Amino acid sequence: MTTTGAGGPDFASSSLPRHLVRGVIGFGGLIGSVALLPLAGPVGLLLLPVGLLALRGCPVCWAVGLMQTVSRGRLRRACDGDRCTLTVADRGHP
């Protein structure tokens, strides 16, 4: 895991489509492992590690990463003393 410019953890992916694919695979694996229990028994639980691996072990971290991926390059946080502000970044468009 890397850190953001502000020193906090960075859970973002390099692109939004890549992050969404990880989410589909991850949550699909988690849901599939539980949904297949009545049909496949404990064999269905083999999807559980696949889902956790795709989500990098933490569904909440994936959700935080989605927010970071969407906002990357659009929002800037500036801290001055004990006060921080969040502003929209200038993207250089006229």
Side-chain angles (χ1 to χ4, degrees):
M1 171 179 27
T2 59
T3 58
T4 62
D10 185 12
F11 299 106
S13 293
S14 58
S15 70
L16 183 60
R18 179 177 292 185
H19 199 84
L20 293 176
V21 166
R22 277 189 34 237
V24 167
I25 293 170
F27 287 110
L30 294 178
I31 293 167
S33 69
V34 174
L36 289 175
L37 274 175
L39 300 174
V43 175
L45 291 176
L46 292 174
L47 288 174
L48 191 62
V50 173
L52 288 174
L53 184 65
L55 296 174
R56 297 181 185 163
C58 176
V60 174
C61 299
W62 178 87
V64 170
L66 177 62
M67 290 182 272
Q68 288 178 340
T69 301
V70 169
S71 70
R72 177 159 285 161
R74 294 187 178 123
L75 299 174
R76 297 281 182 244
R77 185 170 86 173
C79 295
D80 183 29
D82 64 345
R83 194 155 190 215
C84 293
T85 58
L86 191 63
T87 58
V88 177
D90 181 24
R91 299 187 68 136
H93 295 298

